Amino acid sequence: MELLFPLLLVALLVPMFLGVRRQKREAEKVAQMQDSLKVGDQVVTTSGLYGTVVELDDTTVDLEIAEDVVTTWLRQAIREVRADDQVSTEETGSETPGSDTTDAVEESAEQTETRLTKD
């Protein structure tokens, strides 16, 4: 009965200690990734915005989110750097043979305005 309390403490403290170590390792990995950003990297922010790094500062990152649209973000807002093969797969789409897909057609300014003003 005397050994029950110390064993219970060890049983509770060991998983907590291992969890804290894992969190520290993950935080260090994310911080290292944010510090190693370079111009041209394709990234995802914590809010889910996809962009390309066009300029870096000590605390901020300028991301191009569309052609000639550049926004400024904190470095801490960058969640991940997208791999080149991941980017090319998403851009080309993952079409399988025999799938029935239609080509996207860009709409004109008038069509866009009509679509947005319909009630």
Side-chain angles (χ1 to χ4, degrees), residues 26-58:
E26 289 295 321
E28 288 173 1
K29 195 164 82 172
V30 169
Q32 189 271 336
M33 178 271 304
Q34 290 169 347
D35 290 338
S36 68
L37 289 173
K38 60 188 179 304
V39 173
D41 282 347
Q42 298 205 350
V43 298
V44 180
T45 65
T46 54
S47 60
L49 182 82
Y50 290 79
T52 304
V53 177
V54 291
E55 191 175 332
L56 296 165
D57 194 355
D58 289 339

PDB file of all heavy atoms in Angstrom, residues 26-58:
ATOM      1  N   GLU A  26       7.645  20.215 -31.587  1.00  0.00           N
ATOM      2  CA  GLU A  26       6.808  20.718 -32.682  1.00  0.00           C
ATOM      3  C   GLU A  26       6.932  22.233 -32.815  1.00  0.00           C
ATOM      4  O   GLU A  26       7.007  22.759 -33.924  1.00  0.00           O
ATOM      5  CB  GLU A  26       5.342  20.328 -32.461  1.00  0.00           C
ATOM      6  CG  GLU A  26       5.069  18.847 -32.643  1.00  0.00           C
ATOM      7  CD  GLU A  26       5.286  18.385 -34.060  1.00  0.00           C
ATOM      8  OE1 GLU A  26       4.946  19.116 -35.010  1.00  0.00           O
ATOM      9  OE2 GLU A  26       5.825  17.274 -34.226  1.00  0.00           O
ATOM     10  N   ALA A  27       6.935  22.950 -31.685  1.00  0.00           N
ATOM     11  CA  ALA A  27       7.072  24.407 -31.723  1.00  0.00           C
ATOM     12  C   ALA A  27       8.423  24.816 -32.297  1.00  0.00           C
ATOM     13  O   ALA A  27       8.511  25.780 -33.068  1.00  0.00           O
ATOM     14  CB  ALA A  27       6.887  24.982 -30.320  1.00  0.00           C
ATOM     15  N   GLU A  28       9.483  24.102 -31.952  1.00  0.00           N
ATOM     16  CA  GLU A  28      10.805  24.397 -32.498  1.00  0.00           C
ATOM     17  C   GLU A  28      10.849  24.132 -33.992  1.00  0.00           C
ATOM     18  O   GLU A  28      11.457  24.889 -34.753  1.00  0.00           O
ATOM     19  CB  GLU A  28      11.871  23.560 -31.786  1.00  0.00           C
ATOM     20  CG  GLU A  28      12.147  24.004 -30.369  1.00  0.00           C
ATOM     21  CD  GLU A  28      13.076  23.048 -29.624  1.00  0.00           C
ATOM     22  OE1 GLU A  28      13.521  22.046 -30.232  1.00  0.00           O
ATOM     23  OE2 GLU A  28      13.342  23.309 -28.439  1.00  0.00           O
ATOM     24  N   LYS A  29      10.188  23.072 -34.433  1.00  0.00           N
ATOM     25  CA  LYS A  29      10.150  22.736 -35.853  1.00  0.00           C
ATOM     26  C   LYS A  29       9.415  23.825 -36.641  1.00  0.00           C
ATOM     27  O   LYS A  29       9.874  24.244 -37.707  1.00  0.00           O
ATOM     28  CB  LYS A  29       9.466  21.379 -36.045  1.00  0.00           C
ATOM     29  CG  LYS A  29       9.683  20.778 -37.402  1.00  0.00           C
ATOM     30  CD  LYS A  29       9.344  19.296 -37.428  1.00  0.00           C
ATOM     31  CE  LYS A  29       7.869  19.074 -37.589  1.00  0.00           C
ATOM     32  NZ  LYS A  29       7.524  17.663 -37.807  1.00  0.00           N
ATOM     33  N   VAL A  30       8.293  24.316 -36.113  1.00  0.00           N
ATOM     34  CA  VAL A  30       7.538  25.376 -36.789  1.00  0.00           C
ATOM     35  C   VAL A  30       8.340  26.668 -36.807  1.00  0.00           C
ATOM     36  O   VAL A  30       8.400  27.359 -37.836  1.00  0.00           O
ATOM     37  CB  VAL A  30       6.164  25.575 -36.102  1.00  0.00           C
ATOM     38  CG1 VAL A  30       5.484  26.835 -36.596  1.00  0.00           C
ATOM     39  CG2 VAL A  30       5.276  24.373 -36.343  1.00  0.00           C
ATOM     40  N   ALA A  31       8.986  27.015 -35.698  1.00  0.00           N
ATOM     41  CA  ALA A  31       9.793  28.228 -35.640  1.00  0.00           C
ATOM     42  C   ALA A  31      10.963  28.154 -36.628  1.00  0.00           C
ATOM     43  O   ALA A  31      11.277  29.140 -37.304  1.00  0.00           O
ATOM     44  CB  ALA A  31      10.306  28.452 -34.224  1.00  0.00           C
ATOM     45  N   GLN A  32      11.585  26.992 -36.745  1.00  0.00           N
ATOM     46  CA  GLN A  32      12.691  26.822 -37.686  1.00  0.00           C
ATOM     47  C   GLN A  32      12.191  26.965 -39.120  1.00  0.00           C
ATOM     48  O   GLN A  32      12.839  27.584 -39.961  1.00  0.00           O
ATOM     49  CB  GLN A  32      13.347  25.449 -37.465  1.00  0.00           C
ATOM     50  CG  GLN A  32      14.627  25.224 -38.221  1.00  0.00           C
ATOM     51  CD  GLN A  32      14.412  24.638 -39.605  1.00  0.00           C
ATOM     52  OE1 GLN A  32      13.407  23.985 -39.883  1.00  0.00           O
ATOM     53  NE2 GLN A  32      15.348  24.893 -40.492  1.00  0.00           N
ATOM     54  N   MET A  33      11.005  26.419 -39.418  1.00  0.00           N
ATOM     55  CA  MET A  33      10.429  26.549 -40.748  1.00  0.00           C
ATOM     56  C   MET A  33      10.140  28.008 -41.067  1.00  0.00           C
ATOM     57  O   MET A  33      10.419  28.492 -42.165  1.00  0.00           O
ATOM     58  CB  MET A  33       9.141  25.716 -40.848  1.00  0.00           C
ATOM     59  CG  MET A  33       8.414  25.801 -42.178  1.00  0.00           C
ATOM     60  SD  MET A  33       7.185  27.110 -42.345  1.00  0.00           S
ATOM     61  CE  MET A  33       6.101  26.812 -40.989  1.00  0.00           C
ATOM     62  N   GLN A  34       9.595  28.754 -40.100  1.00  0.00           N
ATOM     63  CA  GLN A  34       9.277  30.160 -40.326  1.00  0.00           C
ATOM     64  C   GLN A  34      10.538  30.994 -40.505  1.00  0.00           C
ATOM     65  O   GLN A  34      10.545  31.964 -41.261  1.00  0.00           O
ATOM     66  CB  GLN A  34       8.425  30.696 -39.171  1.00  0.00           C
ATOM     67  CG  GLN A  34       7.035  30.115 -39.164  1.00  0.00           C
ATOM     68  CD  GLN A  34       6.253  30.422 -37.902  1.00  0.00           C
ATOM     69  OE1 GLN A  34       6.809  30.878 -36.914  1.00  0.00           O
ATOM     70  NE2 GLN A  34       4.959  30.163 -37.937  1.00  0.00           N
ATOM     71  N   ASP A  35      11.617  30.633 -39.819  1.00  0.00           N
ATOM     72  CA  ASP A  35      12.873  31.355 -39.967  1.00  0.00           C
ATOM     73  C   ASP A  35      13.570  31.041 -41.285  1.00  0.00           C
ATOM     74  O   ASP A  35      14.369  31.838 -41.772  1.00  0.00           O
ATOM     75  CB  ASP A  35      13.818  31.035 -38.806  1.00  0.00           C
ATOM     76  CG  ASP A  35      13.352  31.640 -37.493  1.00  0.00           C
ATOM     77  OD1 ASP A  35      12.571  32.616 -37.535  1.00  0.00           O
ATOM     78  OD2 ASP A  35      13.766  31.148 -36.430  1.00  0.00           O
ATOM     79  N   SER A  36      13.298  29.889 -41.870  1.00  0.00           N
ATOM     80  CA  SER A  36      13.985  29.487 -43.097  1.00  0.00           C
ATOM     81  C   SER A  36      13.194  29.836 -44.361  1.00  0.00           C
ATOM     82  O   SER A  36      13.542  29.347 -45.442  1.00  0.00           O
ATOM     83  CB  SER A  36      14.276  27.985 -43.061  1.00  0.00           C
ATOM     84  OG  SER A  36      13.071  27.258 -43.133  1.00  0.00           O
ATOM     85  N   LEU A  37      12.163  30.659 -44.246  1.00  0.00           N
ATOM     86  CA  LEU A  37      11.403  31.060 -45.429  1.00  0.00           C
ATOM     87  C   LEU A  37      12.295  31.830 -46.389  1.00  0.00           C
ATOM     88  O   LEU A  37      13.190  32.566 -45.970  1.00  0.00           O
ATOM     89  CB  LEU A  37      10.216  31.941 -45.031  1.00  0.00           C
ATOM     90  CG  LEU A  37       9.063  31.258 -44.318  1.00  0.00           C
ATOM     91  CD1 LEU A  37       8.056  32.292 -43.848  1.00  0.00           C
ATOM     92  CD2 LEU A  37       8.404  30.244 -45.227  1.00  0.00           C
ATOM     93  N   LYS A  38      12.036  31.672 -47.689  1.00  0.00           N
ATOM     94  CA  LYS A  38      12.782  32.419 -48.696  1.00  0.00           C
ATOM     95  C   LYS A  38      11.817  32.873 -49.788  1.00  0.00           C
ATOM     96  O   LYS A  38      10.716  32.341 -49.927  1.00  0.00           O
ATOM     97  CB  LYS A  38      13.929  31.590 -49.251  1.00  0.00           C
ATOM     98  CG  LYS A  38      13.526  30.297 -49.910  1.00  0.00           C
ATOM     99  CD  LYS A  38      14.739  29.471 -50.254  1.00  0.00           C
ATOM    100  CE  LYS A  38      14.375  28.164 -50.888  1.00  0.00           C
ATOM    101  NZ  LYS A  38      13.489  27.307 -50.148  1.00  0.00           N
ATOM    102  N   VAL A  39      12.240  33.860 -50.541  1.00  0.00           N
ATOM    103  CA  VAL A  39      11.418  34.393 -51.625  1.00  0.00           C
ATOM    104  C   VAL A  39      11.143  33.280 -52.633  1.00  0.00           C
ATOM    105  O   VAL A  39      12.037  32.523 -52.996  1.00  0.00           O
ATOM    106  CB  VAL A  39      12.122  35.588 -52.300  1.00  0.00           C
ATOM    107  CG1 VAL A  39      11.355  36.046 -53.525  1.00  0.00           C
ATOM    108  CG2 VAL A  39      12.286  36.730 -51.313  1.00  0.00           C
ATOM    109  N   GLY A  40       9.894  33.166 -53.042  1.00  0.00           N
ATOM    110  CA  GLY A  40       9.485  32.147 -54.002  1.00  0.00           C
ATOM    111  C   GLY A  40       8.824  30.942 -53.364  1.00  0.00           C
ATOM    112  O   GLY A  40       8.225  30.139 -54.065  1.00  0.00           O
ATOM    113  N   ASP A  41       8.936  30.796 -52.037  1.00  0.00           N
ATOM    114  CA  ASP A  41       8.280  29.677 -51.359  1.00  0.00           C
ATOM    115  C   ASP A  41       6.773  29.828 -51.459  1.00  0.00           C
ATOM    116  O   ASP A  41       6.233  30.920 -51.302  1.00  0.00           O
ATOM    117  CB  ASP A  41       8.666  29.621 -49.884  1.00  0.00           C
ATOM    118  CG  ASP A  41      10.035  29.037 -49.646  1.00  0.00           C
ATOM    119  OD1 ASP A  41      10.603  28.441 -50.585  1.00  0.00           O
ATOM    120  OD2 ASP A  41      10.547  29.176 -48.521  1.00  0.00           O
ATOM    121  N   GLN A  42       6.094  28.724 -51.723  1.00  0.00           N
ATOM    122  CA  GLN A  42       4.641  28.731 -51.707  1.00  0.00           C
ATOM    123  C   GLN A  42       4.204  28.236 -50.342  1.00  0.00           C
ATOM    124  O   GLN A  42       4.637  27.164 -49.900  1.00  0.00           O
ATOM    125  CB  GLN A  42       4.098  27.863 -52.833  1.00  0.00           C
ATOM    126  CG  GLN A  42       4.522  28.415 -54.177  1.00  0.00           C
ATOM    127  CD  GLN A  42       3.591  28.028 -55.282  1.00  0.00           C
ATOM    128  OE1 GLN A  42       2.708  27.205 -55.118  1.00  0.00           O
ATOM    129  NE2 GLN A  42       3.778  28.646 -56.431  1.00  0.00           N
ATOM    130  N   VAL A  43       3.370  29.026 -49.667  1.00  0.00           N
ATOM    131  CA  VAL A  43       3.042  28.768 -48.267  1.00  0.00           C
ATOM    132  C   VAL A  43       1.539  28.773 -48.044  1.00  0.00           C
ATOM    133  O   VAL A  43       0.774  29.220 -48.890  1.00  0.00           O
ATOM    134  CB  VAL A  43       3.701  29.821 -47.345  1.00  0.00           C
ATOM    135  CG1 VAL A  43       5.212  29.764 -47.437  1.00  0.00           C
ATOM    136  CG2 VAL A  43       3.205  31.214 -47.655  1.00  0.00           C
ATOM    137  N   VAL A  44       1.150  28.280 -46.863  1.00  0.00           N
ATOM    138  CA  VAL A  44      -0.226  28.333 -46.393  1.00  0.00           C
ATOM    139  C   VAL A  44      -0.196  29.029 -45.038  1.00  0.00           C
ATOM    140  O   VAL A  44       0.625  28.699 -44.180  1.00  0.00           O
ATOM    141  CB  VAL A  44      -0.829  26.922 -46.240  1.00  0.00           C
ATOM    142  CG1 VAL A  44      -2.265  26.995 -45.757  1.00  0.00           C
ATOM    143  CG2 VAL A  44      -0.742  26.158 -47.537  1.00  0.00           C
ATOM    144  N   THR A  45      -1.100  29.985 -44.829  1.00  0.00           N
ATOM    145  CA  THR A  45      -1.166  30.682 -43.546  1.00  0.00           C
ATOM    146  C   THR A  45      -2.044  29.902 -42.576  1.00  0.00           C
ATOM    147  O   THR A  45      -2.727  28.955 -42.963  1.00  0.00           O
ATOM    148  CB  THR A  45      -1.741  32.105 -43.711  1.00  0.00           C
ATOM    149  OG1 THR A  45      -3.097  31.997 -44.146  1.00  0.00           O
ATOM    150  CG2 THR A  45      -0.932  32.916 -44.700  1.00  0.00           C
ATOM    151  N   THR A  46      -2.034  30.326 -41.328  1.00  0.00           N
ATOM    152  CA  THR A  46      -2.857  29.666 -40.319  1.00  0.00           C
ATOM    153  C   THR A  46      -4.342  29.826 -40.600  1.00  0.00           C
ATOM    154  O   THR A  46      -5.144  29.029 -40.131  1.00  0.00           O
ATOM    155  CB  THR A  46      -2.542  30.210 -38.920  1.00  0.00           C
ATOM    156  OG1 THR A  46      -2.686  31.634 -38.938  1.00  0.00           O
ATOM    157  CG2 THR A  46      -1.135  29.840 -38.490  1.00  0.00           C
ATOM    158  N   SER A  47      -4.700  30.842 -41.372  1.00  0.00           N
ATOM    159  CA  SER A  47      -6.112  31.027 -41.718  1.00  0.00           C
ATOM    160  C   SER A  47      -6.495  30.313 -43.007  1.00  0.00           C
ATOM    161  O   SER A  47      -7.627  30.418 -43.460  1.00  0.00           O
ATOM    162  CB  SER A  47      -6.432  32.518 -41.833  1.00  0.00           C
ATOM    163  OG  SER A  47      -5.641  33.103 -42.833  1.00  0.00           O
ATOM    164  N   GLY A  48      -5.537  29.600 -43.630  1.00  0.00           N
ATOM    165  CA  GLY A  48      -5.844  28.815 -44.818  1.00  0.00           C
ATOM    166  C   GLY A  48      -5.614  29.533 -46.129  1.00  0.00           C
ATOM    167  O   GLY A  48      -6.013  29.037 -47.177  1.00  0.00           O
ATOM    168  N   LEU A  49      -4.953  30.675 -46.108  1.00  0.00           N
ATOM    169  CA  LEU A  49      -4.695  31.436 -47.325  1.00  0.00           C
ATOM    170  C   LEU A  49      -3.441  30.899 -48.007  1.00  0.00           C
ATOM    171  O   LEU A  49      -2.411  30.725 -47.364  1.00  0.00           O
ATOM    172  CB  LEU A  49      -4.502  32.916 -46.994  1.00  0.00           C
ATOM    173  CG  LEU A  49      -4.274  33.822 -48.181  1.00  0.00           C
ATOM    174  CD1 LEU A  49      -5.622  34.165 -48.797  1.00  0.00           C
ATOM    175  CD2 LEU A  49      -3.556  35.074 -47.766  1.00  0.00           C
ATOM    176  N   TYR A  50      -3.531  30.623 -49.305  1.00  0.00           N
ATOM    177  CA  TYR A  50      -2.389  30.159 -50.088  1.00  0.00           C
ATOM    178  C   TYR A  50      -1.726  31.366 -50.730  1.00  0.00           C
ATOM    179  O   TYR A  50      -2.408  32.248 -51.248  1.00  0.00           O
ATOM    180  CB  TYR A  50      -2.839  29.198 -51.190  1.00  0.00           C
ATOM    181  CG  TYR A  50      -3.316  27.875 -50.676  1.00  0.00           C
ATOM    182  CD1 TYR A  50      -4.592  27.724 -50.150  1.00  0.00           C
ATOM    183  CD2 TYR A  50      -2.490  26.765 -50.724  1.00  0.00           C
ATOM    184  CE1 TYR A  50      -5.033  26.506 -49.675  1.00  0.00           C
ATOM    185  CE2 TYR A  50      -2.919  25.531 -50.251  1.00  0.00           C
ATOM    186  CZ  TYR A  50      -4.193  25.416 -49.731  1.00  0.00           C
ATOM    187  OH  TYR A  50      -4.618  24.208 -49.265  1.00  0.00           O
ATOM    188  N   GLY A  51      -0.399  31.408 -50.706  1.00  0.00           N
ATOM    189  CA  GLY A  51       0.310  32.517 -51.317  1.00  0.00           C
ATOM    190  C   GLY A  51       1.755  32.169 -51.597  1.00  0.00           C
ATOM    191  O   GLY A  51       2.253  31.113 -51.209  1.00  0.00           O
ATOM    192  N   THR A  52       2.434  33.097 -52.287  1.00  0.00           N
ATOM    193  CA  THR A  52       3.848  32.948 -52.619  1.00  0.00           C
ATOM    194  C   THR A  52       4.614  34.078 -51.963  1.00  0.00           C
ATOM    195  O   THR A  52       4.209  35.249 -52.066  1.00  0.00           O
ATOM    196  CB  THR A  52       4.045  33.007 -54.145  1.00  0.00           C
ATOM    197  OG1 THR A  52       3.232  31.998 -54.747  1.00  0.00           O
ATOM    198  CG2 THR A  52       5.490  32.771 -54.518  1.00  0.00           C
ATOM    199  N   VAL A  53       5.718  33.760 -51.303  1.00  0.00           N
ATOM    200  CA  VAL A  53       6.532  34.761 -50.625  1.00  0.00           C
ATOM    201  C   VAL A  53       7.220  35.627 -51.669  1.00  0.00           C
ATOM    202  O   VAL A  53       7.902  35.114 -52.551  1.00  0.00           O
ATOM    203  CB  VAL A  53       7.577  34.090 -49.701  1.00  0.00           C
ATOM    204  CG1 VAL A  53       8.471  35.127 -49.062  1.00  0.00           C
ATOM    205  CG2 VAL A  53       6.899  33.238 -48.650  1.00  0.00           C
ATOM    206  N   VAL A  54       7.028  36.966 -51.574  1.00  0.00           N
ATOM    207  CA  VAL A  54       7.686  37.878 -52.500  1.00  0.00           C
ATOM    208  C   VAL A  54       8.688  38.785 -51.794  1.00  0.00           C
ATOM    209  O   VAL A  54       9.569  39.334 -52.442  1.00  0.00           O
ATOM    210  CB  VAL A  54       6.662  38.738 -53.286  1.00  0.00           C
ATOM    211  CG1 VAL A  54       5.878  37.873 -54.244  1.00  0.00           C
ATOM    212  CG2 VAL A  54       5.761  39.509 -52.374  1.00  0.00           C
ATOM    213  N   GLU A  55       8.550  38.944 -50.470  1.00  0.00           N
ATOM    214  CA  GLU A  55       9.495  39.770 -49.718  1.00  0.00           C
ATOM    215  C   GLU A  55       9.481  39.337 -48.264  1.00  0.00           C
ATOM    216  O   GLU A  55       8.439  38.934 -47.736  1.00  0.00           O
ATOM    217  CB  GLU A  55       9.123  41.255 -49.831  1.00  0.00           C
ATOM    218  CG  GLU A  55      10.186  42.180 -49.303  1.00  0.00           C
ATOM    219  CD  GLU A  55       9.843  43.646 -49.534  1.00  0.00           C
ATOM    220  OE1 GLU A  55       9.126  43.961 -50.501  1.00  0.00           O
ATOM    221  OE2 GLU A  55      10.294  44.464 -48.722  1.00  0.00           O
ATOM    222  N   LEU A  56      10.645  39.433 -47.618  1.00  0.00           N
ATOM    223  CA  LEU A  56      10.780  39.024 -46.220  1.00  0.00           C
ATOM    224  C   LEU A  56      11.340  40.153 -45.382  1.00  0.00           C
ATOM    225  O   LEU A  56      12.139  40.948 -45.853  1.00  0.00           O
ATOM    226  CB  LEU A  56      11.727  37.814 -46.109  1.00  0.00           C
ATOM    227  CG  LEU A  56      11.280  36.536 -46.785  1.00  0.00           C
ATOM    228  CD1 LEU A  56      12.450  35.582 -46.902  1.00  0.00           C
ATOM    229  CD2 LEU A  56      10.172  35.908 -46.005  1.00  0.00           C
ATOM    230  N   ASP A  57      10.918  40.182 -44.133  1.00  0.00           N
ATOM    231  CA  ASP A  57      11.433  41.110 -43.142  1.00  0.00           C
ATOM    232  C   ASP A  57      11.713  40.287 -41.890  1.00  0.00           C
ATOM    233  O   ASP A  57      11.455  39.083 -41.870  1.00  0.00           O
ATOM    234  CB  ASP A  57      10.374  42.192 -42.871  1.00  0.00           C
ATOM    235  CG  ASP A  57      10.924  43.382 -42.117  1.00  0.00           C
ATOM    236  OD1 ASP A  57      12.100  43.341 -41.712  1.00  0.00           O
ATOM    237  OD2 ASP A  57      10.168  44.351 -41.925  1.00  0.00           O
ATOM    238  N   ASP A  58      12.218  40.917 -40.828  1.00  0.00           N
ATOM    239  CA  ASP A  58      12.478  40.171 -39.601  1.00  0.00           C
ATOM    240  C   ASP A  58      11.202  39.611 -38.989  1.00  0.00           C
ATOM    241  O   ASP A  58      11.197  38.500 -38.462  1.00  0.00           O
ATOM    242  CB  ASP A  58      13.182  41.058 -38.568  1.00  0.00           C
ATOM    243  CG  ASP A  58      14.618  41.356 -38.974  1.00  0.00           C
ATOM    244  OD1 ASP A  58      15.174  40.593 -39.798  1.00  0.00           O
ATOM    245  OD2 ASP A  58      15.180  42.345 -38.474  1.00  0.00           O
TER     246      ASP A  58
END
